Amino acid sequence: MADGKLTDNQLYCSNLPWSVKTADLKRAFAEHGEISDCFVAFRGRRSRGFGFVLFADSEGAEKALAAMDGVSMGEGDGQRTISVVRARAREKEWVPPENKDGPRKTNTRANGGKGGKGRARKDKKNEKPAEAEKAEQGVEAAKPKTGGQGTGKAEGKKKSGKKASGRGKPNQKLGPKRERTYIMIKPDGVQRGLCGNIVKRFEAKGFKMVALKLCAPPKELIEKHYDDLKTKKFFPSLVEYMCSGPVCCMVWEGDNVVATGRKLLGATMPKDSNPGTIRGDLCTDVGRNICHGSDSVESAEHEIKMWFKREEMSMWAATQSAWVYEPSE
């Protein structure tokens, strides 16, 4: 990283939860551009952390700044809404190369800088004459060692700390970046109480829910969503039907989730849908076909941005991933 010069390529992240490590931060930002350098640091044990992300170009930094500011990271009680701003580049001593992920106390002041004199005076005040030190060492050596089980236990407790009690927080990793799709349960599906049934099928398949909300969409949003159908005769009745009640909006994540999600929904025409699919089992009319699903990765990205704000998306680690996906070598 550069030495203190303001760059267009570097971002500063604050309020990071304890569970987020350098690799997690890099993975979260990598989808917006090529990253040259990245690290996470903590000012004290169990404190909220901060980090720097240096992009290869300003375009990636611009995209990440717009997308990641206000995003939630971490899990459960440890979840935090992070803040992302442009930053001045820092010197390399901020992060020791041999330990980029561990907790550390950071201090940018050099011994001779501001505050250095105060520390020097303190050290001078606490200095002891060489003769006094030798005398003290002689006294310590002369003291009998108590030994015994009590001492062993005390030392064991001191060394083990929280690790021995098993109360330390686990290292939650977000896992590899996976595909996302937008699924919407239409007014007929909500009115018929089918939301739980549909959610259950996606969960049973092994996909991870990233966002969920129930809303009454305005007419303008529906028209924008179905913009490719505006020349069709049925477009006015479609907009009226979609505005007739609340819809359930969801974002699901997983390998090949766009194509697999379409298969779970079934064909657009319920009469052509296979038994076992949502439309094959739960509806009969194309005008009341229960749900919508993105038809490509590109349209999924477009629809997710259309229906969800970035702060409504949740980044979390699913513990079931190890039982759904085989570890990659």
Side-chain angles (χ1 to χ4, degrees), residues 257-277:
V257 68
V258 172
T260 307
R262 297 279 292 183
K263 289 178 182 177
L264 287 174
L265 298 185
T268 303
M269 300 288 288
K271 65 183 181 67
D272 297 330
S273 297
N274 294 324
T277 63

Side-chain angles (χ1 to χ4, degrees), residues 59-72:
E59 185 180 352
E62 197 69 43
K63 288 181 181 177
L65 181 63
M68 296 303 294
D69 184 34
V71 167
S72 294

Side-chain angles (χ1 to χ4, degrees), residues 24 58 88 104 249 288:
D24 303 326
S58 58
R88 288 186 180 276
R104 64 184 67 80
C249 311
R288 297 292 183 269

Side-chain angles (χ1 to χ4, degrees), residues 125-141:
K125 204 182 261 187
N126 294 332
E127 273 182 9
K128 294 179 182 177
E131 294 81 4
E133 274 192 12
K134 284 180 183 177
E136 282 183 9
Q137 287 173 8
V139 172
E140 289 296 325

Side-chain angles (χ1 to χ4, degrees), residues 45-167:
R45 189 161 179 79
R46 295 288 181 261
S47 68
R48 298 179 188 180
F50 64 95
F52 289 90
V53 183
L54 180 63
F55 283 86
D57 53 53
S58 58
E59 185 180 352
E62 197 69 43
K63 288 181 181 177
L65 181 63
M68 296 303 294
D69 184 34
V71 167
S72 294
M73 295 189 77
E75 186 176 4
D77 295 336
Q79 194 174 59
R80 297 283 182 271
T81 300
I82 69 169
S83 175
V84 182
V85 296
R86 291 197 180 280
R88 288 186 180 276
R90 298 287 181 179
E91 296 177 357
K92 287 186 177 177
E93 55 257 37
W94 276 87
V95 185
E98 69 278 3
N99 183 15
K100 281 200 174 185
D101 283 335
R104 64 184 67 80
K105 291 183 180 179
T106 57
N107 191 355
T108 55
R109 294 176 180 175
N111 286 335
K114 188 178 176 183
K117 287 183 180 177
R119 283 193 296 276
R121 286 196 201 102
K122 256 187 188 175
D123 293 341
K124 202 167 184 180
K125 204 182 261 187
N126 294 332
E127 273 182 9
K128 294 179 182 177
E131 294 81 4
E133 274 192 12
K134 284 180 183 177
E136 282 183 9
Q137 287 173 8
V139 172
E140 289 296 325
K143 283 183 182 178
K145 293 183 181 178
T146 55
Q149 292 180 355
T151 307
K153 284 181 183 177
E155 285 179 358
K157 284 181 182 178
K158 194 173 182 181
K159 285 181 182 177
S160 59
K162 285 191 176 181
K163 286 185 180 178
S165 66
R167 294 176 186 172

Side-chain angles (χ1 to χ4, degrees), residues 68-328:
M68 296 303 294
D69 184 34
V71 167
S72 294
M73 295 189 77
E75 186 176 4
D77 295 336
Q79 194 174 59
R80 297 283 182 271
T81 300
I82 69 169
S83 175
V84 182
V85 296
R86 291 197 180 280
R88 288 186 180 276
R90 298 287 181 179
E91 296 177 357
K92 287 186 177 177
E93 55 257 37
W94 276 87
V95 185
E98 69 278 3
N99 183 15
K100 281 200 174 185
D101 283 335
R104 64 184 67 80
K105 291 183 180 179
T106 57
N107 191 355
T108 55
R109 294 176 180 175
N111 286 335
K114 188 178 176 183
K117 287 183 180 177
R119 283 193 296 276
R121 286 196 201 102
K122 256 187 188 175
D123 293 341
K124 202 167 184 180
K125 204 182 261 187
N126 294 332
E127 273 182 9
K128 294 179 182 177
E131 294 81 4
E133 274 192 12
K134 284 180 183 177
E136 282 183 9
Q137 287 173 8
V139 172
E140 289 296 325
K143 283 183 182 178
K145 293 183 181 178
T146 55
Q149 292 180 355
T151 307
K153 284 181 183 177
E155 285 179 358
K157 284 181 182 178
K158 194 173 182 181
K159 285 181 182 177
S160 59
K162 285 191 176 181
K163 286 185 180 178
S165 66
R167 294 176 186 172
K169 286 188 179 179
N171 180 13
Q172 295 290 346
K173 294 186 177 179
L174 297 177
K177 180 185 172 185
R178 303 191 189 277
E179 196 174 278
R180 288 180 177 179
T181 191
Y182 174 69
I183 301 294
M184 177 170 59
I185 303 174
K186 299 178 182 179
D188 56 317
V190 175
Q191 293 286 1
R192 292 175 58 193
L194 298 176
C195 294
N197 189 318
I198 295 169
V199 168
K200 182 180 178 181
R201 293 180 187 227
F202 277 82
E203 286 185 327
K205 185 67 178 174
F207 294 134
K208 181 176 80 172
M209 182 184 288
V210 177
L212 170 72
K213 68 178 178 182
L214 192 71
C215 68
K219 182 180 178 182
E220 295 76 19
L221 182 57
I222 294 297
E223 289 175 341
K224 185 179 177 182
H225 180 83
Y226 288 108
D227 184 63
D228 57 323
L229 300 176
K230 64 183 178 182
T231 58
K232 303 290 184 181
K233 290 183 179 180
F234 60 81
F235 183 71
S237 60
L238 171 64
V239 172
E240 184 181 359
Y241 150 64
M242 288 298 296
C243 293
S244 64
V247 296
C248 182
C249 311
M250 299 176 284
V251 178
W252 291 91
E253 183 179 281
D255 285 355
N256 302 311
V257 68
V258 172
T260 307
R262 297 279 292 183
K263 289 178 182 177
L264 287 174
L265 298 185
T268 303
M269 300 288 288
K271 65 183 181 67
D272 297 330
S273 297
N274 294 324
T277 63
I278 292 169
R279 288 170 179 152
D281 289 350
L282 304 176
C283 62
T284 56
D285 192 287
V286 68
R288 297 292 183 269
N289 63 357
I290 296 180
C291 45
H292 161 84
S294 301
D295 58 7
S296 68
V297 175
E298 293 73 22
S299 64
E301 291 175 355
H302 174 69
E303 289 169 355
I304 289 170
K305 288 179 181 177
M306 188 189 305
W307 286 89
F308 285 94
K309 298 175 183 176
R310 62 176 179 267
E311 58 266 25
E312 294 176 313
M313 308 284 286
S314 180
M315 295 179 67
W316 60 288
T319 54
Q320 68 165 1
S321 293
W323 304 102
V324 175
Y325 302 103
E326 184 179 8
S328 56

